[in-house]
Amino acid sequence: VFVATESNLQDDKKKISAIEVYFLALFLAQEQIFESISEQLEPVDFENEEARRFWRIVRDIIIHSKPKQIGKLLEKVPKEFGNFIDHLYLVNINPEFMEREAWAGEITKVVSRIKKASLGRMLFRLSALLKEAQKEHNERRIKQLSEKSDKLSQILKEIK
């Protein structure tokens, strides 16, 4: 039987944070920007605050400026992210992932893991709101939250 403790939760957060940083490092590992990858994750999908802020800026630059190369993209990122970017370039990435096809397969897996974790957090928050609504006997709110929860659960099942 698994019991959620503060230690378990901290370990999970470290794993999530590590996978988010790994994704960003992978994203920067190719010279070319692949918009299809940038469209799959929203900033809200990141639990790590710095990763979320960085991804929000990167996505905005991609959407509005449409740079084709990572170097051009990074020129537009605010200087305050310099240390964070340096850290991303120090992340250990298997050299086989430098080949585009292997990279695409790996980054797709990582995107799925981040998305699943994000949806799981959303479902957890919805569950807490649903419990509140049930205590208050707020039938309309219960119905809304249940429908949202069902939709998120369905999306979660569909992610590979």
Side-chain angles (χ1 to χ4, degrees), residues 95-111:
E96 83 177 45
F97 296 137
M98 294 301 112
E99 188 273 313
R100 187 176 293 176
E101 232 175 82
W103 174 87
E106 178 69 357
I107 203 161
T108 300
K109 288 179 199 171
V110 174
V111 164

Side-chain angles (χ1 to χ4, degrees), residues 40-151:
Q40 293 178 39
L41 288 176
E42 300 288 332
V44 71
D45 291 324
F46 289 81
E47 186 170 41
N48 176 298
E49 182 61 34
E50 192 167 22
R52 181 184 312 126
R53 286 180 37 243
F54 180 72
W55 188 243
R56 180 175 291 120
I57 287 168
V58 165
R59 279 199 34 161
D60 286 349
I61 293 168
I62 291 170
I63 290 167
H64 298 294
S65 300
K66 303 209 183 298
K68 301 294 179 209
Q69 303 294 317
I70 290 294
K72 294 287 184 194
L73 169 85
L74 292 177
E75 287 173 7
K76 296 176 186 274
V77 172
K79 301 289 182 231
E80 70 185 79
F81 287 100
N83 288 338
F84 186 71
I85 293 168
D86 289 346
H87 173 72
L88 294 176
Y89 278 108
L90 295 175
V91 171
N92 188 14
I93 297 174
N94 187 330
E96 83 177 45
F97 296 137
M98 294 301 112
E99 188 273 313
R100 187 176 293 176
E101 232 175 82
W103 174 87
E106 178 69 357
I107 203 161
T108 300
K109 288 179 199 171
V110 174
V111 164
S112 289
R113 288 180 61 189
I114 292 171
K115 200 67 172 174
K116 283 179 184 177
S118 175
L119 289 169
R121 288 189 304 274
M122 287 179 198
L123 282 168
F124 183 79
R125 286 190 292 268
L126 275 175
S127 175
L129 291 172
L130 188 57
K131 286 178 185 175
E132 265 182 44
Q134 288 169 336
K135 283 180 185 175
E136 297 167 359
H137 304 290
N138 185 338
E139 296 303 321
R140 185 170 158 249
R141 185 84 171 130
I142 291 169
K143 185 177 183 214
Q144 282 178 326
L145 293 170
S146 294
E147 288 172 0
K148 262 188 191 177
S149 181
D150 291 345
K151 285 179 187 173

